Amino acid sequence: MIRPLSRTALALDIVGAALLFVILTPFSIVFYGPGAVGEGVDGRTVAAVVVSGLLMCGGVAIGRLAPGLALAAAWAGAIAQMIAGYGPLPIDFAILLVLYATAAWGSRAVLWWGFGSALFGALVAAVYMVVVTGVVSSATSGWDQVTTGTLLLVLCALALGFAWVCGLLWRVVLRARATRSAQLQAESLAAEEQERVRIARDMHDIVAHSLAVVIAQADGARYAAAAKPEMATEALGTIAQTARGALSDVRLLLTQLRHRQGDGPQPTLADLETLFAQVRQAGIEPRITVDPTPPGEPPGAIQLAVYRILQEALTNAIRHGDGAVDVHLAWLADRVDIQVRNTVGREQPQVGGGHGVIGMRERAQLVGGSLQAERQGAQFVVRASLPIGESA
């Protein structure tokens, strides 16, 4: 029954209804009531018109707040006016505004109650003007009375129906705005979710790779501490360097989270040598083959995808392999093919069951490519194909 409405909007509605009452009520009394035909303006006339005007204008005041109650108030005002024996008055303009409100802001039930009120109200008004107010002289023939009554019915239906239809059109506009707003909000939430997934994937790639290198170096330093202290010192230096790099990358990601769209540098093909150096420091010597070489400068998204896929594949090799890794890159005219093979020295995680394989597959799919990760005998093989150029 009561809609949420701001105090400002409610105050404007009340002020507008009050002005409507102040302006139209005197005209209704002096120029359209009994005073218009020289009968004088007595207290009964004033009371009847004022009560009807208060009810109708009161309906206008709460039209947006409670359209159902406004419709009931307008009906009460119209009934009071008819009981007093008055025909159409300027104050009846408030009825049109109430019908507009029922169609624009009312619930589904109030919407159709307003439509029914427009039709039934037109019938009641036409019959009342013909029978009670004497619009048609009693000396007029019955056919003329029917014709005049039908014309009045059509005119009343058009007036009341026009107000209701205008409200219905505004209702459609409001619903379209709400739908558009919800769509924009959903798109914003989807974009935010994609950004969170991307950052989480980057965080996983950075932390998993760096920790794998740190763990491998720490294990080597622990075993070499007694026999070769200089190797332990070198391993500790590698751990510190790797941790600093990971910390820098994590800070960059946190900056992106704060500012929603960070413009920090992303890894490129030029950073692959640093990645391979980190892998070598972890005790693994990757055998790298690039044939053919890149024909030009690949797109930045492709370079980032290649870097992250290789980073995750080499991280898995450090964690689960025995030190033998083969990396092959083929930069063709329309795509780049990636293949990483490592001998499984320890139990390899189930394909598709870990975040690393899922992250690599998502990386490939984001640029329109594909990726397969599977175990073939004693080897774990990662293959990816990423389109370049227009196909990407």
Side-chain angles (χ1 to χ4, degrees):
M1 295 295 293
I2 307 296
R3 295 178 61 251
L5 190 66
S6 66
R7 294 182 178 179
T8 302
L10 181 59
L12 290 176
D13 290 348
I14 294 174
V15 171
L19 291 176
L20 188 69
F21 176 80
V22 171
I23 293 173
L24 295 183
T25 301
F27 284 95
S28 300
I29 295 174
V30 176
F31 298 101
Y32 292 88
V37 293
E39 298 180 3
V41 180
D42 55 10
R44 176 177 172 273
T45 301
V46 175
V49 177
V50 168
V51 170
S52 299
L54 285 175
L55 289 171
M56 294 179 186
C57 292
V60 174
I62 61 173
R64 284 196 290 179
L65 181 66
L69 296 178
L71 182 62
W75 266 110
I79 292 173
Q81 178 181 329
M82 288 187 292
I83 291 176
Y86 300 139
L89 299 174
I91 200 68
D92 295 336
F93 179 74
I95 297 177
L96 303 181
L97 299 179
V98 171
L99 288 175
Y100 176 91
T102 60
W105 298 289
S107 63
R108 183 178 294 273
V110 173
L111 169 71
W112 292 112
W113 272 107
F115 177 72
S117 297
L119 296 181
F120 184 69
L123 177 62
V124 171
V127 172
Y128 179 82
M129 285 186 288
V130 171
V131 176
V132 178
T133 62
V135 173
V136 181
S137 174
S138 58
T140 307
S141 63
W143 178 253
D144 291 338
Q145 290 181 354
V146 172
T147 302
T148 304
T150 302
L151 180 60
L152 289 174
L153 174 62
V154 171
L155 292 176
C156 292
L158 287 177
L160 299 178
F162 178 76
W164 185 85
V165 169
C166 288
L168 183 63
L169 293 177
W170 184 244
R171 183 190 193 93
V172 173
V173 172
L174 293 178
R175 181 165 296 181
R177 288 181 179 178
T179 301
R180 179 57 179 168
S181 177
Q183 179 183 358
L184 293 177
Q185 184 178 6
E187 291 176 355
S188 176
L189 292 176
E192 290 179 359
E193 181 64 23
Q194 291 178 357
E195 183 70 6
R196 284 194 293 268
V197 170
R198 184 190 69 81
I199 292 175
R201 185 166 51 244
D202 287 345
M203 188 76 75
H204 171 269
D205 294 344
I206 294 169
V207 174
H209 174 75
S210 300
L211 288 181
V213 174
V214 168
I215 291 172
Q217 290 292 318
D219 288 340
R222 181 162 52 89
Y223 292 131
K228 296 181 179 180
E230 66 279 2
M231 293 184 62
T233 302
E234 181 181 353
L236 291 175
T238 302
I239 290 174
Q241 180 182 358
T242 303
R244 290 191 188 97
L247 180 60
S248 176
D249 290 338
V250 169
R251 284 175 174 171
L252 174 61
L253 291 176
L254 292 178
T255 301
Q256 294 181 17
L257 282 175
R258 291 191 190 100
H259 300 286
R260 297 286 299 277
Q261 293 182 348
D263 297 327
Q266 295 289 349
T268 62
L269 297 182
D271 299 305
L272 286 179
E273 187 56 41
T274 302
L275 175 65
F276 295 146
Q278 292 176 350
V279 174
R280 294 187 186 98
Q281 291 173 351
I284 293 180
E285 183 64 35
R287 295 182 289 270
I288 303 165
T289 304
V290 181
D291 185 26
T293 58
E297 181 71 15
I302 299 297
Q303 297 188 49
L304 176 61
V306 170
Y307 182 92
R308 292 304 187 196
I309 290 173
L310 288 177
Q311 183 183 48
E312 181 58 38
L314 293 173
T315 299
N316 288 337
I318 294 174
R319 296 171 58 189
H320 306 287
D322 63 353
V325 181
D326 291 311
V327 178
H328 179 72
L329 291 174
W331 292 91
L332 306 176
D334 60 342
R335 72 183 190 277
V336 54
D337 293 334
I338 306 171
Q339 179 175 284
V340 180
R341 290 177 173 268
N342 68 276
T343 303
V344 180
R346 281 168 278 180
E347 182 181 357
Q348 187 80 4
Q350 293 294 326
V351 176
H355 294 287
V357 175
I358 295 175
M360 288 190 294
R361 187 172 291 116
E362 288 179 349
R363 285 284 181 188
Q365 292 174 350
L366 283 175
V367 295
S370 60
L371 183 141
Q372 298 83 35
E374 58 185 356
R375 182 167 179 170
Q376 297 179 352
Q379 288 189 324
F380 189 78
V381 183
V382 176
R383 292 190 182 90
S385 181
L386 311 179
I388 301 177
E390 294 180 358
S391 60

